[in-house]
Amino acid sequence: MSNETTINPFDIAIIGMAGRFPKAKNIGEYWDNLINGRECYTQLTDEQIIASGVDPELLKDPDYVKVSPILEDYDKFDAHFFGYTPREVSMMDPQQRLFLECCWEAFEDGGYNPHACEEPVGVYGGAAVNTYMVFSGVHNRFYTEFLPSVVGNDNSFLANRVSYQLNLSGPAVTVQTACSSSLVSVHLSVQSLLNGECSMALAGGVAVWVPHEAGHLYKEGSVFTKDGHCRTFDAKATGTMFGNGAGVVLLKRYDDAIKDGDTIHAVIKSTAVNNDGAKKTDYTAPSVDGQAEVVVEALANAGLSADDISYVETHGTGTFIGDPIEIRALTKAYQAFTNRKGFCGIGSVKPNIGHLDAGAGAAGLIKTVLALKHKMIPPSINFDEPNPALDLENTPFYVNKSLSEWKSVNGAPRIAGVTSLGMGGTNAHVIVQEAPVIERPAVKDQWPLLITYSAKKEGSLDDYSAKLAAFLKANPDASLPNVAYTLQRGRKEFSQRRFLVAENRDDAIQKLEN
């Protein structure tokens, strides 16, 4: 089958992406860390941990692990850009700030000015438990400043805040299904688009823990790692690390994206969500049957067989019991379609950046989309010998240990599955395919070319100049007339403005850098 023939009217295009992850301020840095197999954790000093508010006595415990996947500048926020006062920001959970910024950046990546969208745009997103309210002291102002405290910290306002700030009139829904929140948000966004409730939709999740520069106390049988490393699928796995970050995707019906000339990063073929129910040992335990059923449902919704999937981004927490259950579930699902063994790669981003809780599914989806775009599968780090309970040799799967070319089989499109599992049993699975090669009319370069851009502050304008120059250097095939068009039509106009007249691409880069 060819790439083009696999597209149908129910497909959803991913036209924009944004994210902040440990040691990655943007999607480009995130991908660079993944392909180079970097473990983006930070070894913390006692001084850092104590300054974060952790009891110094706790540091004397030999089981206190002084490592964390922290987020640089997690407490920084451009209040002026979004029209907030410093006092308003001080009462706002950093998760709401970060999610708002990523939603704006996802629009910019998609080439759209949210304030100019005439049709409804939806927002679906989830956040981890709010620890900021307690540790920042905001809870002490709860009774005297009730409304600001609630609006700035209740997760119910996560999506609503984005819709208000960006003037979006589609559904605004905060999703709380624990660790699967962001991938369930993607599922709901897809349904909303297919139902015609909105023309585009933002979907994602965020997790920011306060105190931020703090480790964790290891206890036998808990989900936390003993040695400060997440070793998904490995025989030495002892648990996971809870990380910090956010991921957001901008979605649109595929036919509309083609009609509007959007950049398409990848195509969502189907999504599925279910719950384990009560057929498990306790509330927090995972279920083989529930996880298997959601994968089978997603494949059936896409009209695909397990033989069509060549990579699965797993939930993969690195817990000694959880990983084998997930592999048993995936195996049960795949063996409903095929008896082949060892043909499908598996991996997990958690050894790189930790478990992002409500943002975990979005982090895995963005990783997978980038892998499809670059036709490369990043290495699964911290993996030496498989957990014997996985019984990998008798499954359809192999752990992708090194950076690998993602090869197409018989010219068929590359297709992947992405899994996210929520404590309490809400499971989500997404089938995503590489974007088809789209032949569009060539844009004739006409010189000289006028390039305009703007920002709210002069310093931000300098930063924008540098970023634009870096983009043109890193993307030599990008059409400069298209770039100029997007800057004029797909960006909101601000008071601080600049323009340049470029004689050619090199001239544009030189002027931007100067």
Side-chain angles (χ1 to χ4, degrees), residues 3 27 118 181 236 266 359 364 433:
N3 212 321
I27 296 296
E118 297 179 354
S181 295
K236 294 182 290 186
Q433 177 181 300

Side-chain angles (χ1 to χ4, degrees), residues 176-488:
Q176 297 294 171
T177 60
C179 313
S180 60
S181 295
S182 56
L183 213 60
V184 173
S185 296
V186 171
H187 169 78
L188 294 174
S189 296
V190 168
Q191 298 302 312
S192 185
L193 286 164
L194 294 177
N195 290 337
E197 294 176 331
C198 52
S199 61
M200 292 189 289
L202 294 161
V206 59
V208 178
W209 301 97
V210 179
H212 198 68
E213 294 180 334
H216 66 263
L217 186 63
Y218 168 77
K219 290 186 178 180
E220 188 73 32
S222 74
V223 299
F224 289 104
T225 173
K226 182 178 182 178
D227 61 1
H229 303 281
C230 178
R231 304 179 186 277
T232 300
F233 307 130
D234 192 78
K236 294 182 290 186
T238 60
T240 197
M241 297 283 292
F242 276 88
N244 301 270
V248 174
V249 292
L250 180 63
L251 308 178
K252 196 175 194 178
R253 288 180 291 271
Y254 179 84
D255 289 346
D256 292 339
I258 291 293
K259 179 183 66 177
D260 296 336
D262 296 319
T263 295
I264 299 176
H265 297 298
V267 178
I268 293 177
K269 301 295 294 181
S270 71
T271 65
V273 169
N274 72 359
N275 192 276
D276 295 335
K279 295 179 181 178
K280 51 186 181 177
T281 56
D282 62 39
Y283 174 73
T284 62
S287 163
V288 170
D289 290 342
Q291 293 179 24
E293 287 164 6
V294 80
V295 174
V296 170
E297 182 181 351
L299 286 168
N301 290 344
L304 296 171
S305 163
D307 286 309
D308 297 314
I309 311 299
S310 47
Y311 176 76
V312 176
E313 175 67 15
T314 67
H315 191 63
T317 55
T319 54
F320 200 78
I321 296 176
D323 285 358
I325 288 178
E326 184 174 5
I327 296 304
R328 282 171 56 196
L330 281 168
T331 299
K332 182 177 181 180
Y334 274 45
Q335 286 180 345
F337 298 88
T338 181
N339 292 320
R340 295 170 64 203
K341 295 179 182 179
F343 70 90
C344 184
I346 55 173
S348 171
V349 77
K350 291 175 179 61
N352 299 92
I353 62 171
H355 185 356
L356 298 195
D357 196 274
L365 177 61
I366 291 171
K367 169 191 171 180
T368 306
V369 171
L370 291 170
L372 288 166
K373 281 173 64 71
H374 293 281
K375 300 177 175 55
M376 301 291 291
I377 301 177
S380 290
I381 65 172
N382 298 340
F383 177 83
D384 296 312
E385 296 294 332
N387 180 342
L390 299 177
D391 193 25
L392 270 182
E393 61 271 18
N394 292 312
T395 76
F397 308 105
Y398 66 92
V399 178
N400 189 70
K401 294 177 62 173
S402 59
L403 180 64
S404 306
E405 179 187 355
W406 194 338
K407 297 180 180 179
S408 171
V409 180
N410 299 325
R414 298 162 182 83
I415 308 176
V418 182
T419 292
S420 192
L421 311 172
M423 185 175 289
T426 298
N427 311 305
H429 195 74
V430 172
I431 305 294
V432 60
Q433 177 181 300
E434 65 178 321
V437 177
I438 302 167
E439 298 294 337
R440 291 194 172 109
V443 178
K444 184 180 179 181
D445 289 351
Q446 295 181 343
W447 308 105
L449 185 67
L450 178 67
I451 298 175
T452 65
Y453 54 104
S454 66
K456 279 198 173 183
K457 296 183 293 186
E458 189 170 351
S460 299
L461 206 55
D462 292 338
D463 292 340
Y464 206 102
S465 299
K467 290 179 181 177
L468 188 53
F471 172 83
L472 293 176
K473 282 184 174 180
N475 297 273
D477 295 331
S479 165
L480 202 58
N482 280 347
V483 170
Y485 176 85
T486 299
L487 288 170
Q488 291 189 35

Side-chain angles (χ1 to χ4, degrees), residues 15-18 101-115 117 121-123 162 166 168 200-202 248-250 486 490-491:
I15 64 169
M17 299 190 296
E101 288 182 330
C102 285
C103 286
W104 177 273
E105 290 167 3
F107 262 111
E108 289 216 321
D109 185 64
Y112 282 93
N113 171 10
H115 293 275
C117 292
V121 177
V123 183
V162 173
L166 306 189
L168 310 177
M200 292 189 289
L202 294 161
V248 174
V249 292
L250 180 63
T486 299
R491 295 290 186 271

